[in-house]
Amino acid sequence: MIQPLFLGLGMPEIIIILVVVLLLFGGKKIPELMRGAGKGVRAFKDGMKEVTTDEEAEKDTKEQ
C-alpha cells in the first residue's frame, strides 16, 4: 500500500494541484511567487535568529 505524501494527499492529487496552479498563474508568474515565498521564509528565519540572540544576551546579562 502506498503511503500518502502530505496531509493525506497521494501523488495523483498533488499532480492535479500542480497542474491547476500552473494553469492559474502561468509559467512566468510561478518563479516570482517562489522568489517571494523564499524571501518571506528568509525574513522569518532572520527574525527568529534575532530573537534567539536577544534572549541569549539577556540571559548572559542576568548571570553576571
Side-chain angles (χ1 to χ4, degrees):
M1 188 167 156
I2 298 175
Q3 293 289 329
L5 295 175
F6 182 70
L7 296 175
L9 297 175
M11 188 59 73
E13 290 88 0
I14 292 175
I15 291 173
I16 291 171
I17 291 170
L18 291 175
V19 168
V20 169
V21 168
L22 183 63
L23 290 173
L24 287 175
F25 294 107
K28 294 181 180 180
K29 192 73 172 173
I30 292 175
E32 293 175 25
L33 292 172
M34 293 298 108
R35 211 171 294 122
K39 287 179 182 179
V41 169
R42 188 177 308 122
F44 178 77
K45 285 182 178 181
D46 290 344
M48 291 303 294
K49 285 180 185 177
E50 185 177 316
V51 168
T52 304
T53 304
D54 290 345
E55 287 178 356
E56 289 174 358
E58 194 173 301
K59 183 178 173 183
D60 289 342
T61 304
K62 287 182 181 180
E63 288 177 357
Q64 293 175 358

